[in-house]
Amino acid sequence: MTPQESVPDGRVRSTRRYGILRPLLFSFFSRSLYRDVGRNWKGVGFLYLLVLLVLSWVLVTIHLHRMVEGLATVFSPLLLEQIPTLTITDGVVSILEPQPYTIRYPLTEAPLVIIDTTGQTRSLEGTPARALVTRDQVYVRKSDAETRVYDLSNIRHFVLDRVLVERWIGVFRRWFAVAVYPFALAFSYAYRVVQALFYAAIGLGFARVLKVDLRYPALLRLSAVSVTPAVAVDTLRDVTGTWIPHWWLICFLIAMAYLGFAIRANSAGDFESPTRPA
């Protein structure tokens, strides 16, 4: 039975049974949870959605950090041994190695950066390299359709060598998770909020078909909670690195199945009304 409390006019009001963390487990099987969310929870459920994604992205970011650590451990020595000592003095680049000098991707040997201050190489056309360093400019390929050019004339003195690059790699490895996590969480939360709004609209149709009296705010709460299993299996897939074709469709079907389950769990009575006769 749902706990109830008395109110001054002699009626009783149902009180919330489940805290904000309980749906992390109970959303997989509990009709009682979904009745509580539909009847007794307040708001639209976006706070719960944020809590769910905070925990999900902690796991995913830890996995990504370990991947970056592993890749850096394997590939950074192969990259570092190719780094020449590059000096910029009054905007002019110089290196001691014969030119054009090419830094290649580890293992694949494909060109990554070309250094040519002699003028033989004047653009990135005809090469898959991502960057070209000339006597006084740096060309960076942003995409197949866009290349940025950076002028070096304002640089009075700068030295890039293996020690500096190794230090940069170390900083990247150390702070990768911290830098990625807030952005990943923010974009994911925005996406899931829009998704919940859309799912709640679908829920209106489900409720009409199932003849369940639920208003849009309650359906938003149910959508936020019923997406938990889909987010959980999606997180598991990310952490394990498993590739599954048409995964977005599978997650959508899982979410719809649980949303239907949540709406059916609210089929008895008017769960939008905070009071009912004693």
Side-chain angles (χ1 to χ4, degrees):
M1 298 293 292
T2 302
Q4 297 179 328
E5 61 181 9
S6 297
V7 292
D9 60 5
R11 294 178 295 176
V12 293
R13 180 173 57 205
S14 297
T15 58
R16 178 169 171 167
R17 293 183 59 192
Y18 294 94
I20 197 169
L21 296 180
R22 297 291 285 278
L24 296 173
L25 174 61
F26 282 66
S27 61
F28 286 85
F29 58 85
S30 175
R31 293 174 62 87
S32 175
L33 167 73
Y34 287 113
R35 283 196 295 268
D36 191 45
V37 172
R39 178 190 293 187
N40 303 321
W41 282 30
K42 305 302 180 184
V44 293
F46 289 169
L47 178 59
Y48 169 75
L49 197 57
L50 178 60
V51 171
L52 172 65
L53 295 175
V54 164
L55 297 176
S56 171
W57 275 104
V58 165
L59 298 176
V60 174
T61 305
I62 289 173
H63 171 67
L64 292 175
H65 184 73
R66 288 176 176 173
M67 285 184 58
V68 168
E69 282 281 352
L71 291 173
T73 300
V74 172
F75 294 118
S76 60
L78 301 176
L79 180 65
L80 288 171
E81 68 183 12
Q82 302 180 66
I83 302 297
T85 298
L86 182 149
T87 302
I88 303 176
T89 304
D90 293 328
V92 177
V93 176
S94 63
I95 62 173
L96 298 178
E97 287 75 7
Q99 301 178 56
Y101 182 84
T102 302
I103 300 172
R104 301 183 180 275
Y105 286 99
L107 300 184
T108 67
E109 294 298 316
L112 174 61
V113 179
I114 298 173
I115 304 172
D116 188 357
T117 64
T118 67
Q120 298 179 52
T121 309
R122 299 185 178 183
S123 74
L124 288 169
E125 293 183 10
T127 175
R130 306 303 301 178
L132 167 66
V133 180
T134 66
R135 183 176 182 274
D136 54 8
Q137 291 179 318
V138 176
Y139 296 75
V140 178
R141 193 195 307 274
K142 305 290 288 186
S143 67
D144 292 339
E146 181 184 5
T147 298
R148 298 276 182 91
V149 181
Y150 300 92
D151 184 71
L152 303 177
S153 59
N154 292 325
I155 300 178
R156 294 294 168 234
H157 183 72
F158 176 75
V159 177
L160 183 146
D161 56 15
R162 295 178 187 178
V163 174
L164 181 59
V165 174
E166 186 174 18
R167 188 180 306 147
W168 287 349
I169 293 175
V171 171
F172 176 77
R173 292 170 64 171
R174 186 177 304 111
W175 296 102
F176 171 79
V178 175
V180 167
Y181 181 81
F183 292 100
L185 177 61
F187 282 110
S188 177
Y189 182 61
Y191 167 76
R192 293 294 181 181
V193 166
V194 173
Q195 186 183 66
L197 294 169
F198 175 65
Y199 285 1
I202 296 176
L204 288 172
F206 283 3
R208 188 174 295 111
V209 169
L210 296 171
K211 295 182 173 57
V212 180
D213 187 9
L214 286 169
R215 298 176 187 174
Y216 192 72
L219 287 166
L220 267 176
R221 296 194 299 269
L222 292 172
S223 296
V225 173
S226 63
V227 80
T228 302
V231 172
V233 296
D234 192 37
T235 300
L236 180 62
R237 182 191 67 93
D238 287 338
V239 170
T240 58
T242 304
W243 181 83
I244 301 175
H246 307 298
W247 181 244
W248 68 269
L249 178 59
I250 295 173
C251 286
F252 173 76
L253 294 176
I254 293 173
M256 289 299 98
Y258 273 98
L259 180 58
F261 176 71
I263 292 173
R264 285 196 299 272
N266 284 271
S267 59
D270 180 5
F271 296 115
E272 283 300 304
S273 176
T275 62
R276 56 176 59 186

